[in-house]
Amino acid sequence: MAASIAEIERLIAELEEQIELVKRRTREQGEDRNDAIQALEGQLTRLLEQTYANPTGWDRTRLARNPKRPFTLDYIRLIFSDFLELHGDRLRADDGAIVGGIARLNEQWVTVIGHQKGRDAAERHQRNFGYARPEGYRKALRLMRLSEKFHRPIVCLVDTPGADCSVGSEENGISESIARNLHEMFLLRVPVIVVIAGEGGSGGALGIGVGDRVLMLENAIYSVIAPEGCAAIVWRDARRGEEAAEKLGLTAHNAHRFGIVDEVVQEPLGGAHRDHDQAARTLKTALERHVSELQALDTDTLLEQRYARFRRLGVFQEGPAG
Amino acid sequence: MAASIAEIERLIAELEEQIELVKRRTREQGEDRNDAIQALEGQLTRLLEQTYANPTGWDRTRLARNPKRPFTLDYIRLIFSDFLELHGDRLRADDGAIVGGIARLNEQWVTVIGHQKGRDAAERHQRNFGYARPEGYRKALRLMRLSEKFHRPIVCLVDTPGADCSVGSEENGISESIARNLHEMFLLRVPVIVVIAGEGGSGGALGIGVGDRVLMLENAIYSVIAPEGCAAIVWRDARRGEEAAEKLGLTAHNAHRFGIVDEVVQEPLGGAHRDHDQAARTLKTALERHVSELQALDTDTLLEQRYARFRRLGVFQEGPAG
Amino acid sequence: MAHGWFGRKKIPAAGAGAGAGIPEGLWTQCPKCKEVLFAREWERNLKVCLKCHHHFWLTARERIEMLVDPGSFAELDGSLVSANPLDFPGYADKLRRHGEKTGLTDAIVSGEALLGGHPLTLAVTDAHFMRGAMGSVVGERLTRAVERATARRIPTLLVSGSGGGARMEEGLLSLMQMAKTSAALARHNQAGLLSIVLLTDPSLAGIMASWGSLGDILLAEPAAQIGFVGERVSAQATLGKAPANFQSAEFQLQHGQIDLVTPRKDLRDTLQRLLAFAGNASAGAAA
Amino acid sequence: MAHGWFGRKKIPAAGAGAGAGIPEGLWTQCPKCKEVLFAREWERNLKVCLKCHHHFWLTARERIEMLVDPGSFAELDGSLVSANPLDFPGYADKLRRHGEKTGLTDAIVSGEALLGGHPLTLAVTDAHFMRGAMGSVVGERLTRAVERATARRIPTLLVSGSGGGARMEEGLLSLMQMAKTSAALARHNQAGLLSIVLLTDPSLAGIMASWGSLGDILLAEPAAQIGFVGERVSAQATLGKAPANFQSAEFQLQHGQIDLVTPRKDLRDTLQRLLAFAGNASAGAAA
Ligand SMILES: [Zn+2]
Ligand SMILES: [Zn+2]
């Protein structure tokens, strides 16, 4: 699209304000302004449709990173009931950047695990901006094993800019913690459903990203490297992230095209941040369907299919034996 | 015994010096002083026999803590071949207070793990005086699982004043690390032979102390609490450790009486520190016998017997149902 | 949840938790904030201070009454009593005194019960009896409770109020209870069954280095002291710089050692969710 | 061990390890201590500096020749070549250039061999080819090597010289190779078979967050750079206070991440002990 998303979002915000104003006047003064309201709302819808008809990879990146977007704990609150958060890796810490616990999806007990970004400054700090540490991946693995022990499906919500790469995380084995999870998640004898819900940042995303089904929200991104990082390497200019975003194919559509994602989950018009309830309802419906499909499989088939699903990922040419 | 062990050890050292002196003169001057040497050696043997005929718990405590006593790496060098030390807990550190690796006992590959005290100041520091940290217990567990994977017996050498109780170890889950090992060691599907080789200090010892057989060196000690600590609690006077050592029943004889230890391994006259080679030879013979006995058992029987062995430990009265 | 747990019978002394100098019965004083509390109100509040939320010690029997479904508890193995295998000076006398003081035969009460309708076995150590230290009887009763859960394919709930850790009067036999109880839990775990440990003040040393750390789930009451080294020993040890909340439940939560710090009033609800999550083990083989 | 590995044929360029300005062939310069080394002597020393023990980069083929029994290596899957699924600008050209420079079809050589008489499969990434970054071909060849080991019930040896981690030109497909290779290792592990990973300079990022960390045993060459974040990225990240040996093999040893730092000359002996320890898996069921 031509205009920058920032400009258009300002326009959208102005329109919404106007609509709110007219509605308030209607209430306060009792006059019938329904026509005006409908006209404005039509205008808004058209603008949203126009704007998000064909968003670029960079548009999606901005949407995926929108701080008003629903986070893992929002989805948990809106989709599941009886959530009981469980803490700690039983080794050395409780990482706030990954949350997890037990909860019910309707009548079905499951384990839910996800990256958690923070909304305000204090929570962002506590959550390390969603950059998970080794302790987070190890907590996730502990909870997955707990779920396996009691034959409960696992739902993983991915939303991280990447794994934490501080000196402390290197000292505590950030590589090992992600690698271990990849290894173990292929052996879990219960259904695992992964949802790329916001930012799917590289190894930090994949560290809880192995499952029988991988769903991806329409405006989420999933990438081997942040576009800015890619630009810094290719063009030695981190500001060319927009260009890199296009090259990297980080959209749900692209991930689906290569079989990396099984299903793209629709978001409310304009993005999940515009209607948390609606986003959660759509996701819940998808989760219900996949949980029930996967529970119908016997464990050996489940594991065989999970292996095969990832086994075929890759694009190469095979010539005559040389 | 009446005289303090310190006094007697001074006497012994003097006698040994004298013998060495006469021998050197014999060599240098070519005179035959065999009679004198034999007389002195006889005197030494009698003194040693006298001294160690009936050592008290406190005498044993001193012997077990003797810094010249063979340590785990000494036993490994003297008993096993092709030792390859393996490091790290794959989580955050490599604890010098516990060493482990693969090695051959004659033709049989095994895993050897043990607490390691340091001999000089630098090594003592590096080994944390044999006080193992959570990382040490977790390394031990990792190596045990490796051994289980390849169906190799495990030998654990216990020689620690206790587990490390620094703030850092508390922060990294020292309790959990010991508890986890107790839990897992009951499930290891390979023979496990434990040797209380020096100091068997409470939970820190037990953390690698669950096995199908528990051997104990004649002068080793094994105790729920250090005698000094016991004295500090009972009499509020840590200096009454000698008294406490008697009450606690920390000798090999006592441990054997209650079924806590299966076999007491004889030490050279005067203690293992007086002849490392001889101590290692005796221990090696015992290990060979136990490894071969245990390898004759099928895995289920092995695990059943290991459970039963610890299950019956405890002394209580059972009255009529109340 | 409020089914009048402490209103129905004579309340045992609150032990170390009870304030000194305040006449017992009508009033009690909070040892933490010094507030004087009306006893009936404090009891209705599950012996949690109404002002500062300090969680007073409970006896094992109070704890059981508070946690399980009314009338569902059946005690087991009550006839086991401690011997004095090492002839440790003063031990026999100490056992007698603590027995008289608490009305218990040892530092643990164990048995079967229902919790929210779920059958389970449970074992509760009592810090009023020799600080809950684990001797042969504590180890044996707890092991039997866990073994019974394994045999019946039901969960087990272990509650620690064991400040003393090991019972040194029984020497190495006490240490061996760590191995024995861990062995029983290993088998229970391997059978795919749920174990929950609830850590209350104080939970230290040998308990924590064995069954106290081995639940699938570890819960703790707020501000409970939980750690490896007990007070007197730690005073001798070089501890380095300890943070202000060292060895508290909150410290252990922060260090990843426990799942949750749960206020007393929420325990039953939390336990019921966990029991529902674990489901019926005997029917649980379906993915 | 010295069977003249590098005396027999033309030596490929030593890449980043080779000194600049010194005529190639007779002499080479150590990039670390600047010593000028007589090439034949340096080669006989396994391309380790005779003065400071700096371990120069090896090509994948040199590495294989150095490690396995002479003449025992049979390459597999050499016909797989990279595509350009995202039409990433410049990628096709880069592949061609690196192919010409190294004589490789991609950043990995894989196959079967004997080591001390033990059959195994191996896969060796080569930092001279796009810094050994893992694209679809690297992932596929390595996965096939591991799968073949599982099928034949033999060990697998994976050698990393992968400084680039993931190959961003293949986007998400590159990331997925982490999952794919880990899956193959999970099955190999579950089958009770031995996997050994040898980390050489440089081993970073996606490699380390997948198969590079998943061996039963992890060995590393002295001073090899091993870590999660590569150089350029880490320059942007806030690293906090990094110790002097940050991301070295020795740093990782100290932090419990690897089993051993093994000088190049000891590798074969160490590997043979490990292979002997693991024994014959197909006959290994006896306790
Ligand atoms: Zn209070
Ligand atoms: Zn050099």
Side-chain angles (χ1 to χ4, degrees):
Chain A
M1 67 213 186
S4 89
I5 204 132
E7 282 172 56
I8 292 169
E9 284 189 339
R10 195 169 37 75
L11 275 175
I12 290 170
E14 277 174 19
L15 258 173
E16 286 179 320
E17 221 170 277
Q18 234 179 311
I19 293 169
E20 200 35 61
L21 191 72
V22 180
K23 280 187 177 168
R24 182 148 36 85
R25 285 210 188 127
T26 308
R27 278 196 306 276
E28 284 168 3
Q29 304 169 3
E31 267 176 60
D32 185 354
R33 289 193 182 84
N34 269 342
D35 285 357
I37 291 171
Q38 269 176 24
L40 282 168
E41 284 183 337
Q43 213 177 321
L44 176 62
T45 304
R46 274 191 305 281
L47 182 58
L48 286 171
E49 278 168 353
Q50 233 171 20
T51 309
Y52 296 104
N54 203 11
T56 65
W58 186 245
D59 294 336
R60 307 273 199 199
T61 304
R62 290 183 48 109
L63 283 167
R65 292 174 178 170
N66 189 313
K68 290 180 185 155
R69 200 171 165 81
F71 293 154
T72 290
L73 286 174
D74 299 313
Y75 284 120
I76 289 176
R77 186 172 39 79
L78 294 168
I79 295 175
F80 302 92
S81 52
D82 280 347
F83 178 61
L84 184 70
E85 186 174 351
L86 301 174
H87 295 269
D89 62 359
R90 286 279 214 286
L91 296 165
R92 64 180 305 270
D94 181 50
D95 183 13
I98 290 190
V99 296
I102 61 172
R104 284 193 298 108
L105 177 64
N106 305 319
E107 291 314 303
Q108 174 65 50
W109 280 98
V110 299
T111 296
V112 199
I113 295 163
H115 301 98
Q116 179 66 27
K117 295 177 175 178
R119 198 140 265 139
D120 58 29
E123 200 199 352
R124 272 177 210 174
H125 176 76
Q126 184 214 336
R127 305 294 185 187
N128 198 29
F129 301 87
Y131 289 94
R133 302 186 175 95
E135 296 82 356
Y137 294 103
R138 289 172 183 150
K139 169 168 70 175
L141 181 58
R142 182 176 79 83
L143 297 181
M144 290 185 218
R145 286 182 172 149
L146 195 71
S147 207
E148 180 182 41
K149 179 172 178 182
F150 299 111
H151 316 287
R152 302 306 187 189
I154 297 164
V155 176
C156 292
L157 298 165
V158 171
D159 187 16
T160 178
D164 183 64
C165 57
S166 64
V167 171
S169 280
E170 188 76 68
E171 288 174 338
N172 291 308
I174 183 68
S175 299
E176 191 277 344
S177 69
I178 292 173
R180 185 65 46 204
N181 280 16
L182 301 185
H183 182 284
E184 294 301 306
M185 289 182 86
F186 278 104
L187 303 176
L188 290 170
R189 300 176 65 77
V190 291
V192 181
I193 298 171
V194 174
V195 181
I196 315 294
E199 270 187 285
S202 195
L206 190 61
I208 57 169
V210 169
D212 302 296
R213 299 286 160 80
V214 180
L215 318 184
M216 186 161 167
L217 266 71
E218 196 183 348
N219 294 311
I221 58 170
Y222 197 5
S223 183
V224 69
I225 186 168
E228 295 88 342
C230 176
I233 293 173
V234 177
W235 301 292
R236 309 213 169 234
D237 182 357
R239 287 162 307 173
R240 289 171 71 179
E242 184 161 357
E243 251 171 287
E246 301 315 310
K247 307 299 179 202
L248 284 167
L250 43 59
T251 64
H253 169 73
N254 246 307
H256 188 254
R257 180 161 70 95
F258 288 113
I260 292 161
V261 152
D262 302 290
E263 183 177 323
V264 179
V265 180
Q266 239 198 332
E267 295 188 21
L269 186 60
H273 64 286
R274 300 189 58 82
D275 190 343
H276 286 201
D277 288 347
Q278 177 56 33
R281 264 195 305 276
T282 316
L283 180 56
K284 183 176 185 180
T285 307
L287 288 175
E288 287 164 349
R289 179 162 38 82
H290 289 289
V291 165
S292 110
E293 280 176 23
L294 293 169
Q295 285 197 301
L297 302 177
D298 67 273
T299 308
D300 288 345
T301 308
L302 186 79
L303 289 174
E304 205 52 59
Q305 290 186 0
R306 191 186 304 156
Y307 187 84
R309 189 199 173 287
F310 283 87
R311 179 64 188 86
R312 64 173 171 263
L313 298 180
V315 173
F316 50 83
Q317 290 156 11
E318 189 153 17
Chain B
M1 67 211 188
S4 91
I5 205 134
E7 282 172 59
I8 291 168
E9 284 187 340
R10 196 169 37 72
L11 275 175
I12 290 169
E14 279 174 17
L15 256 174
E16 286 177 318
E17 221 170 278
Q18 234 180 312
I19 292 169
E20 201 36 59
L21 192 75
V22 180
K23 280 185 177 169
R24 182 146 38 85
R25 286 206 188 133
T26 307
R27 279 194 307 276
E28 286 166 4
Q29 306 169 1
E31 267 177 59
D32 184 356
R33 288 195 181 84
N34 270 342
D35 284 359
I37 292 171
Q38 272 178 22
L40 282 167
E41 285 182 336
Q43 213 176 323
L44 176 61
T45 305
R46 275 192 304 280
L47 182 57
L48 286 171
E49 281 170 350
Q50 231 171 23
T51 309
Y52 296 104
N54 204 9
T56 65
W58 186 244
D59 295 334
R60 308 272 199 197
T61 303
R62 291 183 48 110
L63 284 166
R65 292 174 178 170
N66 189 313
K68 291 181 184 154
R69 199 171 167 83
F71 292 154
T72 290
L73 286 174
D74 299 312
Y75 284 119
I76 289 177
R77 186 172 40 79
L78 295 168
I79 294 175
F80 303 92
S81 53
D82 280 347
F83 177 62
L84 183 70
E85 186 172 352
L86 301 174
H87 295 270
D89 61 359
R90 286 279 213 287
L91 296 165
R92 63 179 307 270
D94 181 50
D95 183 13
I98 289 189
V99 297
I102 62 171
R104 284 193 298 107
L105 178 64
N106 306 317
E107 291 313 303
Q108 174 66 50
W109 281 98
V110 299
T111 296
V112 199
I113 295 163
H115 302 97
Q116 178 66 27
K117 295 179 175 176
R119 197 140 267 140
D120 59 28
E123 200 200 351
R124 272 179 211 172
H125 175 75
Q126 184 215 337
R127 305 295 184 186
N128 198 28
F129 302 86
Y131 289 93
R133 301 185 175 95
E135 296 83 356
Y137 294 103
R138 289 172 184 151
K139 169 168 70 174
L141 181 57
R142 181 175 80 83
L143 297 180
M144 290 185 218
R145 286 180 172 151
L146 195 70
S147 207
E148 180 183 42
K149 179 172 177 182
F150 300 111
H151 316 287
R152 302 306 187 189
I154 297 163
V155 176
C156 293
L157 297 165
V158 172
D159 186 17
T160 179
D164 182 63
C165 57
S166 64
V167 171
S169 281
E170 188 78 66
E171 287 174 338
N172 291 307
I174 184 66
S175 299
E176 192 277 345
S177 70
I178 293 173
R180 185 64 47 204
N181 280 14
L182 301 186
H183 182 284
E184 294 301 306
M185 290 183 85
F186 277 104
L187 303 177
L188 290 170
R189 299 177 64 77
V190 290
V192 182
I193 298 170
V194 174
V195 181
I196 314 295
E199 270 186 284
S202 194
L206 190 61
I208 57 168
V210 170
D212 302 296
R213 299 288 159 80
V214 181
L215 318 184
M216 186 160 167
L217 266 72
E218 196 183 348
N219 294 311
I221 58 170
Y222 198 5
S223 183
V224 69
I225 185 169
E228 295 87 343
C230 175
I233 293 173
V234 177
W235 301 294
R236 308 211 169 235
D237 182 357
R239 287 163 306 175
R240 288 170 72 177
E242 185 162 355
E243 249 172 286
E246 302 315 311
K247 306 298 178 202
L248 284 166
L250 42 61
T251 65
H253 169 74
N254 245 307
H256 188 255
R257 180 162 71 94
F258 287 113
I260 292 160
V261 151
D262 302 291
E263 183 177 323
V264 179
V265 180
Q266 238 198 335
E267 295 188 22
L269 186 60
H273 64 286
R274 299 189 58 82
D275 191 343
H276 286 202
D277 289 346
Q278 177 56 35
R281 265 196 304 277
T282 316
L283 180 54
K284 184 176 185 179
T285 307
L287 288 175
E288 287 164 349
R289 179 162 38 81
H290 289 288
V291 166
S292 109
E293 280 175 24
L294 292 168
Q295 285 197 302
L297 302 176
D298 68 275
T299 309
D300 287 346
T301 309
L302 187 79
L303 289 174
E304 204 53 59
Q305 290 185 2
R306 191 185 305 156
Y307 188 85
R309 189 199 173 286
F310 283 87
R311 179 63 188 86
R312 64 174 170 262
L313 299 179
V315 173
F316 50 82
Q317 290 155 11
E318 189 154 16
Chain C
M1 242 190 83
H3 45 263
W5 293 307
F6 304 114
R8 282 176 292 174
K9 44 176 152 168
K10 195 177 170 302
I11 303 127
I22 308 287
E24 234 178 84
L26 271 176
W27 304 94
T28 196
Q29 190 179 20
C30 175
K32 200 172 164 200
C33 73
K34 308 299 172 202
E35 181 82 358
V36 174
L37 304 160
F38 184 45
R40 293 295 288 255
E41 215 174 355
W42 165 69
E43 283 159 15
R44 262 199 305 277
N45 202 38
L46 312 177
K47 295 200 172 173
V48 173
C49 172
L50 288 102
K51 191 176 170 206
C52 78
H53 306 294
H54 170 67
H55 284 54
F56 286 65
W57 282 13
L58 298 182
T59 67
R61 298 203 187 280
E62 283 173 336
R63 175 67 66 183
I64 292 167
E65 194 180 0
M66 191 201 101
L67 286 178
V68 307
D69 298 348
S72 73
F73 178 68
E75 186 169 352
L76 290 165
D77 304 315
S79 67
L80 300 186
V81 292
S82 287
N84 187 0
L86 300 181
D87 288 321
F88 202 94
Y91 184 39
D93 191 47
K94 203 168 175 184
L95 284 168
R96 194 181 38 72
R97 278 202 329 273
H98 281 264
E100 282 166 9
K101 187 184 81 178
T102 60
L104 299 174
T105 49
D106 211 293
I108 189 169
V109 177
S110 64
E112 297 188 343
L114 299 175
L115 201 163
H118 296 272
L120 45 72
T121 70
L122 78 169
V124 182
T125 61
D126 190 323
H128 302 95
F129 191 108
M130 293 184 72
R131 283 181 67 78
M134 181 158 67
S136 296
V137 168
V138 170
E140 183 70 19
R141 283 194 197 160
L142 190 135
T143 300
R144 288 192 191 181
V146 174
E147 284 180 334
R148 185 177 295 255
T150 310
R152 292 195 46 202
R153 296 195 59 73
I154 56 176
T156 191
L157 169 63
L158 309 177
V159 185
S160 159
S162 284
R167 194 177 291 186
M168 64 181 178
E169 291 87 348
E170 297 190 18
L172 261 191
L173 288 166
S174 169
L175 189 72
M176 291 302 124
Q177 305 312 306
M178 290 170 61
K180 187 164 98 178
T181 53
S182 300
L185 279 163
R187 292 201 156 187
H188 186 263
N189 187 11
Q190 219 181 18
L193 304 165
L194 173 70
S195 58
I196 303 175
V197 170
L198 169 60
L199 302 170
T200 75
D201 185 73
S203 291
L204 292 165
I207 298 297
M208 290 314 299
S210 63
W211 58 268
S213 290
L214 290 176
D216 289 309
I217 302 289
L218 304 190
L219 307 176
E221 284 196 336
Q225 192 195 1
I226 300 168
F228 182 60
V229 175
E231 292 143 298
R232 291 201 211 165
V233 180
S234 80
Q236 298 184 297
T238 308
L239 277 173
K241 275 173 225 154
N245 70 348
F246 188 61
Q247 288 192 338
S248 66
E250 293 73 17
F251 169 91
Q252 298 295 356
L253 183 73
Q254 176 190 341
H255 287 287
Q257 299 304 313
I258 59 178
D259 286 276
L260 274 177
V261 175
T262 309
R264 196 168 282 171
K265 68 177 172 45
D266 298 334
L267 278 173
R268 260 180 70 93
D269 176 57
T270 296
L271 289 167
Q272 286 183 64
R273 290 194 203 190
L274 292 165
L275 289 162
F277 176 80
N280 185 342
S282 26
Chain D
M1 247 190 76
H3 45 265
W5 294 307
F6 305 115
R8 281 174 292 174
K9 43 177 153 170
K10 195 178 172 302
I11 303 126
I22 310 287
E24 234 178 83
L26 273 175
W27 303 96
T28 198
Q29 190 180 22
C30 174
K32 199 170 162 201
C33 73
K34 308 299 173 202
E35 182 82 356
V36 174
L37 304 161
F38 184 46
R40 294 293 290 254
E41 215 175 355
W42 165 68
E43 282 159 15
R44 262 199 305 276
N45 202 38
L46 312 177
K47 297 201 172 174
V48 173
C49 173
L50 287 102
K51 191 179 170 203
C52 78
H53 306 295
H54 171 65
H55 285 54
F56 286 64
W57 282 14
L58 299 181
T59 67
R61 297 204 189 278
E62 284 173 335
R63 174 68 66 183
I64 291 167
E65 195 181 358
M66 191 201 101
L67 286 178
V68 308
D69 298 349
S72 73
F73 178 67
E75 186 171 351
L76 291 164
D77 305 315
S79 67
L80 300 186
V81 292
S82 286
N84 187 1
L86 299 181
D87 288 321
F88 202 94
Y91 184 38
D93 191 47
K94 202 168 178 185
L95 284 168
R96 194 182 39 72
R97 280 201 328 275
H98 281 265
E100 283 166 9
K101 188 185 81 177
T102 60
L104 299 174
T105 49
D106 211 294
I108 189 169
V109 177
S110 63
E112 297 188 344
L114 299 175
L115 202 163
H118 297 272
L120 46 74
T121 71
L122 78 168
V124 181
T125 61
D126 190 323
H128 303 93
F129 191 108
M130 293 184 72
R131 285 181 66 78
M134 181 159 66
S136 296
V137 169
V138 170
E140 182 70 20
R141 284 195 197 159
L142 191 136
T143 299
R144 289 192 191 180
V146 174
E147 284 180 335
R148 186 177 294 257
T150 309
R152 292 194 48 202
R153 297 196 59 73
I154 57 177
T156 190
L157 169 62
L158 309 177
V159 184
S160 158
S162 283
R167 194 176 290 185
M168 65 181 177
E169 291 86 349
E170 296 190 19
L172 260 192
L173 288 166
S174 170
L175 189 72
M176 291 301 124
Q177 306 311 307
M178 291 170 61
K180 189 164 97 178
T181 54
S182 300
L185 279 165
R187 289 200 160 187
H188 186 264
N189 186 12
Q190 219 180 16
L193 303 165
L194 174 69
S195 58
I196 303 176
V197 170
L198 169 60
L199 302 169
T200 76
D201 185 71
S203 291
L204 293 164
I207 299 297
M208 291 313 300
S210 63
W211 57 268
S213 290
L214 289 176
D216 289 311
I217 302 289
L218 304 190
L219 307 176
E221 284 196 336
Q225 192 197 0
I226 300 168
F228 182 60
V229 175
E231 294 142 296
R232 291 201 212 164
V233 181
S234 80
Q236 298 183 297
T238 308
L239 277 172
K241 275 174 224 153
N245 71 348
F246 188 62
Q247 287 193 337
S248 67
E250 293 73 16
F251 168 91
Q252 298 295 357
L253 183 74
Q254 177 190 339
H255 286 288
Q257 299 303 313
I258 59 178
D259 287 277
L260 273 177
V261 174
T262 309
R264 198 168 281 173
K265 68 176 171 50
D266 298 334
L267 278 173
R268 259 181 70 92
D269 175 57
T270 296
L271 290 167
Q272 286 183 63
R273 289 194 204 189
L274 292 165
L275 290 162
F277 175 80
N280 184 342
S282 26

